[in-house]
Every structure is written in structure tokens, then in C-alpha cells.
Amino acid sequence: MTDEAADTRAEAPSEAPGEGGAGAAAQAPAEPVEPAGPAALGVVRTPTGHAGVDAHLARLADADHLAADGHVEVYEDVHRGLREALTALDAPPVPGPYENRS
């Protein structure tokens, strides 16, 4: 029975060179491909007219020159600064030294 099974099996066709498979893998370059370095996204930052907010938004440009794992620190710093700027808008004005007269 094993002889009959061996006779009925079709042999795999041989691959011609250049059709892919093992022949193509042997022709692949031996040098590993280097990943692309950090690249600026080219996002335009429109000034808001508020110096403090604009300074924080300008800090986002620092992330353009960092690898992806360095972006988190920049984003968290900018987020913290923007939250402080927004919180300051809600704070009541502090009276000056001579504005508290009775």
C-alpha cells in the first residue's frame, strides 16, 4: 500500500530561476535595511497671539528631531504648559498693592 501511495503522489514542479522561492531569497541583498530616521511632519503651527501658548506650541517642533519614543516627553511637557495657561485664564485677577483700598 505504501508503494501505491508513493506512485500516485505528484512531484512538485521545479522552480525556474527568477520566479521567486529559494532562488529569489539567495539574490536578496545581504545588508540589512536601515530604518528611516526622524523626519519633520511639516505641520504648520498658526500663532494664537498669546505669547505663552505660542511658546508651548513652538516646543512641538522639538519632537520633529526625535525618535518616536522621545515624542512622549515633549507632548506631555506641551500638554502640561497648555493646561496651566488655560487654568490661569479661570483664576480671578490678583489685586495690585494699591487696589485693595476701602
Coordinates of all heavy atoms in Angstrom, one line a residue:
M1 N 0.8 -1.2 0.0 CA 0.0 0.0 0.0 C 0.9 1.3 0.0 O 0.5 2.2 -0.7 CB -0.9 0.0 1.2 CG -2.0 0.9 1.1 SD -3.0 0.5 2.6 CE -4.5 1.1 2.0
T2 N 2.0 1.3 0.7 CA 2.8 2.5 0.7 C 3.4 2.7 -0.6 O 3.7 3.8 -1.0 CB 3.9 2.4 1.8 OG1 4.6 1.2 1.6 CG2 3.3 2.4 3.2
D3 N 3.7 1.6 -1.4 CA 4.3 1.8 -2.7 C 3.3 2.5 -3.7 O 3.6 3.3 -4.5 CB 4.7 0.4 -3.3 CG 5.9 -0.2 -2.6 OD1 6.7 0.6 -2.0 OD2 6.0 -1.4 -2.5
E4 N 2.0 2.1 -3.5 CA 1.0 2.7 -4.4 C 0.8 4.2 -4.1 O 0.7 5.0 -5.0 CB -0.4 2.0 -4.2 CG -0.4 0.6 -4.7 CD -1.7 -0.1 -4.4 OE1 -2.6 0.6 -3.9 OE2 -1.8 -1.3 -4.6
A5 N 0.9 4.6 -2.8 CA 0.7 6.0 -2.4 C 1.9 6.8 -2.9 O 1.8 7.9 -3.3 CB 0.6 6.1 -0.9
A6 N 3.1 6.2 -2.9 CA 4.3 6.9 -3.4 C 4.2 7.1 -4.9 O 4.6 8.1 -5.4 CB 5.5 6.1 -3.0
D7 N 3.6 6.1 -5.6 CA 3.5 6.2 -7.0 C 2.4 7.3 -7.5 O 2.6 7.9 -8.5 CB 3.1 4.9 -7.7 CG 4.3 3.9 -7.6 OD1 5.4 4.3 -7.4 OD2 4.0 2.7 -7.6
T8 N 1.4 7.5 -6.6 CA 0.3 8.4 -7.0 C 0.6 9.8 -6.7 O -0.1 10.7 -7.1 CB -1.0 8.0 -6.4 OG1 -0.9 8.0 -5.0 CG2 -1.5 6.6 -6.9
R9 N 1.6 10.0 -5.8 CA 1.9 11.4 -5.5 C 2.6 12.1 -6.6 O 3.4 11.6 -7.4 CB 3.0 11.4 -4.3 CG 2.4 11.5 -3.0 CD 3.4 11.7 -1.9 NE 4.4 10.6 -2.0 CZ 5.5 10.5 -1.4 NH1 5.9 11.5 -0.6 NH2 6.3 9.5 -1.5
A10 N 2.1 13.4 -6.8 CA 2.7 14.2 -7.9 C 4.0 14.9 -7.3 O 4.0 15.3 -6.2 CB 1.7 15.2 -8.4
E11 N 5.0 14.9 -8.1 CA 6.2 15.6 -7.7 C 6.0 17.1 -7.9 O 5.3 17.6 -8.8 CB 7.4 15.1 -8.6 CG 7.8 13.7 -8.3 CD 9.1 13.4 -9.0 OE1 9.8 14.3 -9.4 OE2 9.3 12.2 -9.1
A12 N 6.6 17.8 -6.9 CA 6.5 19.3 -7.0 C 7.3 19.8 -8.2 O 8.4 19.3 -8.4 CB 7.0 19.9 -5.7
P13 N 6.7 20.7 -9.0 CA 7.5 21.2 -10.1 C 8.7 22.0 -9.7 O 8.6 22.6 -8.6 CB 6.4 22.1 -10.8 CG 5.4 22.4 -9.8 CD 5.4 21.3 -8.8
S14 N 9.7 21.9 -10.4 CA 10.9 22.6 -10.0 C 10.7 24.1 -10.4 O 10.1 24.4 -11.4 CB 12.2 22.0 -10.7 OG 12.0 22.1 -12.1
E15 N 11.3 25.0 -9.6 CA 11.1 26.4 -9.9 C 12.2 26.9 -10.8 O 13.4 26.5 -10.7 CB 11.2 27.2 -8.6 CG 10.0 26.9 -7.7 CD 10.1 27.8 -6.5 OE1 10.9 28.7 -6.4 OE2 9.3 27.5 -5.5
A16 N 11.9 27.6 -11.8 CA 12.8 28.2 -12.7 C 13.5 29.4 -12.0 O 12.8 30.1 -11.2 CB 12.2 28.6 -14.0
P17 N 14.7 29.7 -12.3 CA 15.4 30.9 -11.6 C 14.6 32.1 -12.0 O 14.2 32.3 -13.1 CB 16.8 30.9 -12.2 CG 17.0 29.5 -12.8 CD 15.6 28.9 -13.1
G18 N 14.5 33.0 -11.0 CA 13.8 34.3 -11.3 C 12.3 34.3 -11.0 O 11.6 35.3 -11.2
E19 N 11.8 33.1 -10.6 CA 10.3 33.0 -10.4 C 10.0 33.1 -8.9 O 8.9 32.8 -8.5 CB 9.8 31.7 -10.9 CG 9.7 31.6 -12.4 CD 9.1 30.3 -12.9 OE1 8.5 29.6 -12.1 OE2 9.2 30.0 -14.1
G20 N 10.9 33.5 -8.1 CA 10.7 33.6 -6.7 C 11.2 32.4 -6.0 O 11.9 31.6 -6.5
G21 N 10.7 32.2 -4.8 CA 11.1 31.0 -4.0 C 12.6 31.1 -3.5 O 13.1 32.2 -3.2
A22 N 13.2 30.0 -3.4 CA 14.6 29.9 -2.8 C 15.6 30.7 -3.7 O 16.5 31.3 -3.2 CB 15.0 28.5 -2.6
G23 N 15.4 30.7 -5.0 CA 16.3 31.4 -5.9 C 16.3 32.9 -5.7 O 17.3 33.5 -5.7
A24 N 15.1 33.4 -5.4 CA 15.0 34.9 -5.1 C 15.6 35.2 -3.8 O 16.2 36.3 -3.7 CB 13.5 35.3 -5.2
A25 N 15.4 34.4 -2.8 CA 16.0 34.7 -1.5 C 17.5 34.7 -1.5 O 18.2 35.5 -0.8 CB 15.5 33.7 -0.5
A26 N 18.1 33.9 -2.4 CA 19.6 33.9 -2.5 C 20.1 35.2 -3.2 O 21.2 35.5 -2.9 CB 20.0 32.7 -3.3
Q27 N 19.2 35.8 -4.0 CA 19.7 37.0 -4.6 C 19.4 38.3 -3.8 O 19.8 39.4 -4.3 CB 19.0 37.1 -6.0 CG 19.3 36.0 -6.9 CD 18.5 36.0 -8.2 OE1 17.6 36.9 -8.4 NE2 18.8 35.1 -9.1
A28 N 18.7 38.2 -2.7 CA 18.4 39.3 -1.9 C 19.7 40.0 -1.3 O 20.7 39.3 -1.1 CB 17.5 38.9 -0.7
P29 N 19.7 41.3 -1.1 CA 20.9 41.9 -0.6 C 21.2 41.4 0.8 O 20.3 41.2 1.6 CB 20.6 43.4 -0.6 CG 19.1 43.5 -0.7 CD 18.7 42.2 -1.4
A30 N 22.5 41.2 1.1 CA 23.0 40.7 2.4 C 22.9 41.8 3.4 O 22.9 41.5 4.6 CB 24.4 40.1 2.2
E31 N 22.9 43.1 3.1 CA 22.9 44.1 4.0 C 21.5 44.4 4.6 O 20.6 44.5 3.8 CB 23.5 45.4 3.4 CG 24.9 45.3 2.9 CD 25.3 46.6 2.3 OE1 24.8 47.7 2.6 OE2 26.2 46.5 1.4
P32 N 21.4 44.6 5.9 CA 20.1 44.9 6.5 C 19.7 46.3 6.1 O 20.5 47.2 5.9 CB 20.3 44.8 8.0 CG 21.7 45.0 8.2 CD 22.4 44.5 6.9
V33 N 18.4 46.5 5.9 CA 17.9 47.8 5.5 C 17.7 48.7 6.8 O 17.1 48.2 7.8 CB 16.5 47.7 4.8 CG1 15.9 49.0 4.5 CG2 16.6 46.8 3.6
E34 N 18.3 49.8 6.8 CA 18.3 50.7 8.0 C 16.9 51.4 8.0 O 16.4 51.9 7.0 CB 19.4 51.8 7.9 CG 20.8 51.2 8.0 CD 21.0 50.7 9.4 OE1 20.5 51.2 10.4 OE2 21.7 49.6 9.5
P35 N 16.3 51.5 9.2 CA 15.0 52.3 9.3 C 15.3 53.8 9.0 O 16.4 54.3 9.3 CB 14.6 52.0 10.7 CG 15.8 51.6 11.5 CD 16.7 51.0 10.5
A36 N 14.3 54.4 8.5 CA 14.4 55.9 8.3 C 14.5 56.6 9.6 O 13.9 56.2 10.6 CB 13.2 56.3 7.5
G37 N 15.3 57.7 9.6 CA 15.5 58.5 10.8 C 14.3 59.4 11.0 O 13.3 59.4 10.2
P38 N 14.3 60.2 12.1 CA 13.2 61.1 12.4 C 13.1 62.1 11.2 O 14.1 62.6 10.7 CB 13.6 61.8 13.6 CG 14.8 61.0 14.2 CD 15.4 60.2 13.1
A39 N 11.9 62.4 10.9 CA 11.6 63.4 9.8 C 10.5 64.3 10.3 O 9.5 63.9 10.9 CB 11.2 62.7 8.5
A40 N 10.6 65.6 10.0 CA 9.6 66.5 10.3 C 8.3 66.2 9.5 O 8.4 65.9 8.4 CB 10.1 67.9 10.0
L41 N 7.2 66.4 10.2 CA 5.9 66.2 9.5 C 5.4 67.4 8.7 O 4.6 67.2 7.8 CB 4.8 65.8 10.6 CG 5.0 64.6 11.3 CD1 3.9 64.4 12.4 CD2 5.0 63.4 10.4
G42 N 6.0 68.5 8.9 CA 5.6 69.7 8.2 C 4.3 70.3 8.6 O 3.7 70.9 7.8
V43 N 3.9 70.1 9.9 CA 2.7 70.6 10.3 C 2.8 72.1 10.6 O 3.8 72.5 11.3 CB 2.2 69.9 11.6 CG1 1.0 70.6 12.2 CG2 2.0 68.5 11.4
V44 N 2.0 72.9 10.0 CA 2.0 74.4 10.2 C 1.4 74.7 11.5 O 0.3 74.3 11.8 CB 1.3 75.1 9.0 CG1 1.3 76.6 9.2 CG2 1.9 74.7 7.7
R45 N 2.1 75.5 12.3 CA 1.6 76.0 13.6 C 1.2 77.4 13.5 O 2.1 78.3 13.3 CB 2.7 75.8 14.7 CG 3.0 74.3 15.0 CD 4.2 74.2 15.9 NE 4.6 72.8 15.9 CZ 5.5 72.3 15.0 NH1 6.0 73.0 14.1 NH2 5.8 71.0 15.1
T46 N 0.0 77.7 13.5 CA -0.5 79.1 13.4 C -0.4 79.8 14.7 O -0.9 79.2 15.7 CB -2.0 79.0 12.9 OG1 -2.1 78.3 11.7 CG2 -2.5 80.4 12.7
P47 N 0.2 81.0 14.7 CA 0.3 81.7 16.0 C -1.1 82.0 16.6 O -2.0 82.4 15.8 CB 1.0 83.0 15.6 CG 1.7 82.7 14.3 CD 0.8 81.6 13.6
T48 N -1.2 82.0 17.9 CA -2.5 82.2 18.5 C -2.6 83.7 19.0 O -3.7 84.2 19.2 CB -2.7 81.3 19.8 OG1 -1.7 81.7 20.7 CG2 -2.6 79.9 19.4
G49 N -1.5 84.4 19.1 CA -1.5 85.7 19.6 C -1.2 85.8 21.1 O -1.0 86.9 21.7
H50 N -1.2 84.7 21.8 CA -1.0 84.6 23.2 C 0.5 84.0 23.3 O 0.7 82.9 23.0 CB -2.0 83.7 23.9 CG -1.8 83.6 25.4 ND1 -0.9 82.9 26.0 CD2 -2.5 84.3 26.3 CE1 -1.0 83.1 27.3 NE2 -2.0 83.9 27.5
A51 N 1.4 84.9 23.8 CA 2.8 84.5 23.8 C 3.1 83.2 24.6 O 3.9 82.4 24.1 CB 3.6 85.6 24.5
G52 N 2.4 83.0 25.7 CA 2.7 81.7 26.4 C 2.2 80.5 25.7 O 2.9 79.5 25.7
V53 N 1.1 80.6 25.1 CA 0.5 79.4 24.3 C 1.4 79.2 23.1 O 1.8 78.0 22.8 CB -0.9 79.7 23.9 CG1 -1.4 78.6 22.9 CG2 -1.8 79.7 25.1
D54 N 1.8 80.3 22.4 CA 2.7 80.1 21.2 C 4.0 79.5 21.6 O 4.5 78.7 20.8 CB 2.9 81.5 20.5 CG 1.6 82.0 19.9 OD1 0.7 81.2 19.6 OD2 1.5 83.2 19.6
A55 N 4.5 79.8 22.7 CA 5.8 79.2 23.1 C 5.7 77.7 23.3 O 6.5 77.0 23.0 CB 6.3 79.9 24.4
H56 N 4.6 77.3 23.9 CA 4.3 75.9 24.1 C 4.1 75.2 22.8 O 4.6 74.1 22.6 CB 3.1 75.6 25.1 CG 3.4 76.1 26.5 ND1 4.4 75.5 27.3 CD2 2.8 77.0 27.2 CE1 4.3 76.1 28.5 NE2 3.4 77.0 28.5
L57 N 3.4 75.8 21.9 CA 3.2 75.2 20.6 C 4.5 75.1 19.8 O 4.7 74.1 19.0 CB 2.1 75.9 19.8 CG 0.7 75.9 20.4 CD1 -0.3 76.7 19.6 CD2 0.2 74.4 20.5
A58 N 5.3 76.1 20.0 CA 6.6 76.0 19.3 C 7.5 74.9 19.8 O 8.3 74.3 19.0 CB 7.4 77.4 19.5
R59 N 7.3 74.5 21.0 CA 8.0 73.4 21.6 C 7.7 72.1 20.9 O 8.5 71.1 20.9 CB 7.7 73.3 23.1 CG 8.1 72.0 23.8 CD 9.4 72.3 24.6 NE 9.6 71.2 25.6 CZ 10.3 70.1 25.3 NH1 10.8 69.9 24.1 NH2 10.5 69.1 26.2
L60 N 6.5 72.0 20.2 CA 6.2 70.8 19.5 C 7.2 70.5 18.4 O 7.4 69.4 18.0 CB 4.8 70.9 18.9 CG 3.6 70.8 19.9 CD1 2.3 71.1 19.2 CD2 3.6 69.5 20.6
A61 N 7.9 71.5 17.9 CA 8.9 71.3 16.8 C 10.0 70.5 17.3 O 10.7 69.9 16.5 CB 9.3 72.7 16.3
D62 N 10.3 70.5 18.6 CA 11.3 69.6 19.2 C 11.1 68.1 18.9 O 12.1 67.4 18.8 CB 11.5 69.8 20.7 CG 12.0 71.3 21.0 OD1 12.4 72.0 20.1 OD2 11.9 71.6 22.2
A63 N 9.9 67.7 18.8 CA 9.5 66.3 18.5 C 9.9 65.9 17.1 O 10.1 64.7 16.8 CB 8.1 66.1 18.8
D64 N 10.0 66.9 16.2 CA 10.4 66.6 14.8 C 11.7 65.9 14.7 O 12.0 65.2 13.7 CB 10.3 67.8 13.9 CG 8.9 68.3 13.7 OD1 8.0 67.5 13.9 OD2 8.7 69.5 13.3
H65 N 12.6 66.2 15.6 CA 14.0 65.7 15.5 C 14.3 64.6 16.4 O 15.4 64.1 16.5 CB 15.0 66.9 15.8 CG 14.7 68.1 15.0 ND1 14.9 68.2 13.7 CD2 14.1 69.3 15.4 CE1 14.5 69.4 13.3 NE2 14.0 70.1 14.3
L66 N 13.2 64.0 17.0 CA 13.4 62.9 18.0 C 12.8 61.6 17.4 O 11.9 61.7 16.5 CB 12.7 63.2 19.3 CG 13.2 64.4 20.1 CD1 12.2 64.7 21.2 CD2 14.6 64.2 20.6
A67 N 13.3 60.5 17.9 CA 12.7 59.2 17.5 C 11.3 59.2 18.2 O 11.0 59.9 19.1 CB 13.6 58.1 18.0
A68 N 10.5 58.3 17.7 CA 9.1 58.2 18.3 C 9.1 58.0 19.8 O 8.2 58.6 20.4 CB 8.4 57.0 17.6
D69 N 10.0 57.3 20.4 CA 9.9 57.1 21.8 C 10.3 58.4 22.6 O 10.0 58.5 23.8 CB 10.8 55.9 22.2 CG 12.3 56.1 21.9 OD1 12.6 57.1 21.1 OD2 13.1 55.4 22.3
G70 N 10.8 59.4 21.9 CA 11.1 60.7 22.6 C 10.0 61.7 22.5 O 10.0 62.7 23.1
H71 N 9.0 61.4 21.7 CA 7.8 62.3 21.5 C 7.0 62.4 22.8 O 6.5 63.5 23.0 CB 6.9 61.8 20.4 CG 7.6 61.9 19.0 ND1 6.8 61.7 17.9 CD2 8.8 62.2 18.6 CE1 7.6 61.8 16.8 NE2 8.8 62.2 17.2
V72 N 6.9 61.4 23.5 CA 6.0 61.4 24.7 C 6.4 62.5 25.7 O 5.6 63.3 26.1 CB 6.0 60.0 25.4 CG1 5.2 60.1 26.7 CG2 5.4 59.0 24.5
E73 N 7.7 62.6 25.9 CA 8.2 63.7 26.8 C 7.8 65.1 26.4 O 7.4 65.9 27.1 CB 9.7 63.5 27.0 CG 10.3 64.5 28.0 CD 11.8 64.4 28.2 OE1 12.3 63.4 27.8 OE2 12.4 65.4 28.7
V74 N 8.0 65.3 25.1 CA 7.7 66.6 24.5 C 6.2 66.9 24.6 O 5.7 68.0 25.0 CB 8.2 66.7 23.0 CG1 7.7 68.0 22.4 CG2 9.7 66.6 23.0
Y75 N 5.4 65.9 24.2 CA 3.9 66.1 24.2 C 3.4 66.3 25.6 O 2.5 67.1 25.8 CB 3.2 64.9 23.6 CG 3.5 64.7 22.1 CD1 3.4 63.4 21.5 CD2 3.9 65.7 21.3 CE1 3.6 63.3 20.2 CE2 4.1 65.6 19.9 CZ 4.0 64.3 19.4 OH 4.2 64.2 18.0
E76 N 3.9 65.6 26.6 CA 3.5 65.8 28.0 C 3.9 67.1 28.5 O 3.1 67.8 29.2 CB 4.1 64.7 28.9 CG 3.4 63.3 28.7 CD 4.0 62.2 29.5 OE1 5.0 62.4 30.1 OE2 3.3 61.2 29.6
D77 N 5.1 67.6 28.1 CA 5.5 68.9 28.5 C 4.6 70.0 27.9 O 4.2 70.9 28.6 CB 7.0 69.1 28.1 CG 7.5 70.5 28.6 OD1 7.3 70.8 29.8 OD2 8.2 71.2 27.8
V78 N 4.3 69.9 26.7 CA 3.4 70.9 26.0 C 2.0 70.8 26.6 O 1.4 71.9 26.9 CB 3.4 70.6 24.5 CG1 2.3 71.5 23.8 CG2 4.8 70.9 23.9
H79 N 1.5 69.6 26.8 CA 0.2 69.5 27.4 C 0.1 70.1 28.8 O -0.9 70.8 29.1 CB -0.2 68.0 27.5 CG -1.6 67.7 27.9 ND1 -1.8 67.3 29.2 CD2 -2.8 67.9 27.3 CE1 -3.1 67.1 29.3 NE2 -3.7 67.5 28.2
R80 N 1.1 69.9 29.6 CA 1.2 70.5 30.9 C 1.2 72.0 30.8 O 0.4 72.7 31.6 CB 2.4 70.0 31.7 CG 2.5 70.4 33.1 CD 3.8 69.9 33.8 NE 4.1 68.5 33.5 CZ 5.1 68.0 32.7 NH1 5.9 68.9 32.2 NH2 5.2 66.8 32.5
G81 N 2.0 72.6 29.9 CA 2.0 74.0 29.8 C 0.7 74.6 29.3 O 0.3 75.7 29.8
L82 N 0.1 73.9 28.4 CA -1.2 74.5 27.9 C -2.3 74.4 28.9 O -3.1 75.3 29.0 CB -1.6 73.7 26.6 CG -0.7 73.9 25.4 CD1 -1.2 73.0 24.2 CD2 -0.8 75.4 24.9
R83 N -2.3 73.3 29.7 CA -3.3 73.2 30.8 C -3.1 74.3 31.8 O -4.0 74.9 32.3 CB -3.2 71.9 31.5 CG -3.8 70.7 30.7 CD -3.8 69.5 31.5 NE -4.8 69.7 32.5 CZ -5.6 68.7 32.9 NH1 -5.4 67.5 32.5 NH2 -6.5 68.9 33.8
E84 N -1.8 74.6 32.1 CA -1.5 75.7 33.1 C -2.0 77.1 32.5 O -2.5 77.9 33.2 CB 0.0 75.8 33.4 CG 0.4 74.6 34.3 CD 2.0 74.6 34.4 OE1 2.7 75.4 33.9 OE2 2.4 73.6 35.1
A85 N -1.8 77.3 31.2 CA -2.3 78.5 30.6 C -3.8 78.6 30.6 O -4.3 79.7 30.9 CB -1.8 78.6 29.1
L86 N -4.5 77.5 30.4 CA -5.9 77.5 30.5 C -6.4 77.7 31.9 O -7.4 78.5 32.1 CB -6.5 76.2 29.9 CG -6.5 76.1 28.4 CD1 -6.9 74.7 28.0 CD2 -7.4 77.1 27.7
T87 N -5.8 77.1 32.8 CA -6.1 77.3 34.2 C -6.0 78.7 34.7 O -6.8 79.2 35.4 CB -5.3 76.3 35.1 OG1 -5.5 75.0 34.7 CG2 -5.7 76.4 36.6
A88 N -4.9 79.3 34.2 CA -4.6 80.7 34.6 C -5.7 81.6 34.1 O -6.0 82.7 34.7 CB -3.3 81.2 34.0
L89 N -6.4 81.3 33.0 CA -7.5 82.1 32.4 C -8.7 82.1 33.4 O -9.4 83.1 33.4 CB -7.9 81.6 31.1 CG -6.9 81.8 29.9 CD1 -7.4 81.2 28.7 CD2 -6.6 83.3 29.7
D90 N -8.9 81.0 34.1 CA -10.0 80.9 35.0 C -9.7 81.5 36.4 O -10.7 81.7 37.2 CB -10.4 79.4 35.2 CG -11.0 78.8 33.9 OD1 -11.5 79.6 33.1 OD2 -10.9 77.6 33.8
A91 N -8.5 81.8 36.7 CA -8.2 82.3 38.0 C -8.6 83.8 38.1 O -8.5 84.5 37.2 CB -6.7 82.2 38.2
P92 N -9.1 84.1 39.3 CA -9.6 85.5 39.5 C -8.3 86.4 39.4 O -7.2 86.0 39.9 CB -10.2 85.5 40.8 CG -9.7 84.4 41.5 CD -9.3 83.4 40.5
P93 N -8.5 87.7 39.0 CA -7.3 88.6 38.9 C -6.9 88.9 40.3 O -7.7 89.0 41.3 CB -7.9 89.8 38.2 CG -9.3 89.7 38.3 CD -9.7 88.3 38.4
V94 N -5.6 88.9 40.5 CA -5.0 89.3 41.8 C -4.9 90.8 41.9 O -4.4 91.5 41.0 CB -3.6 88.7 41.9 CG1 -2.9 89.0 43.2 CG2 -3.6 87.2 41.7
P95 N -5.5 91.4 43.0 CA -5.4 92.8 43.1 C -4.0 93.3 43.3 O -3.2 92.6 43.9 CB -6.3 93.1 44.3 CG -6.3 91.9 45.1 CD -6.1 90.7 44.1
G96 N -3.7 94.5 42.7 CA -2.4 95.1 42.9 C -2.2 95.6 44.3 O -3.2 95.6 45.1
P97 N -1.1 96.1 44.7 CA -0.9 96.5 46.1 C -1.7 97.7 46.5 O -2.0 97.9 47.7 CB 0.6 96.9 46.1 CG 1.0 97.1 44.7 CD 0.1 96.2 43.9
Y98 N -2.2 98.5 45.6 CA -2.9 99.7 45.9 C -4.4 99.6 45.5 O -5.2 100.6 45.6 CB -2.3 101.0 45.3 CG -0.9 101.2 45.8 CD1 0.2 101.0 45.0 CD2 -0.7 101.6 47.1 CE1 1.5 101.2 45.5 CE2 0.6 101.8 47.6 CZ 1.7 101.6 46.8 OH 2.9 101.8 47.2
E99 N -4.8 98.5 45.0 CA -6.2 98.3 44.5 C -7.1 97.7 45.6 O -8.3 97.6 45.4 CB -6.2 97.3 43.3 CG -5.5 97.9 42.1 CD -5.5 96.9 40.9 OE1 -6.2 95.9 41.0 OE2 -4.8 97.2 40.0
N100 N -6.6 97.5 46.8 CA -7.4 96.9 47.8 C -7.7 97.9 48.9 O -7.7 97.7 50.1 CB -6.6 95.8 48.4 CG -7.5 94.7 49.1 OD1 -8.7 94.8 49.0 ND2 -6.9 93.8 49.8
R101 N -8.1 99.1 48.5 CA -8.4 100.2 49.4 C -9.9 100.1 49.8 O -10.7 99.7 49.1 CB -8.1 101.6 48.8 CG -6.7 101.8 48.5 CD -6.6 103.2 48.0 NE -5.2 103.3 47.4 CZ -4.8 104.4 46.8 NH1 -5.6 105.4 46.6 NH2 -3.6 104.5 46.3
S102 N -10.1 100.5 51.1 CA -11.5 100.5 51.5 C -12.1 101.9 51.4 O -11.5 102.9 51.4 CB -11.7 100.0 52.9 OG -10.6 99.5 53.5

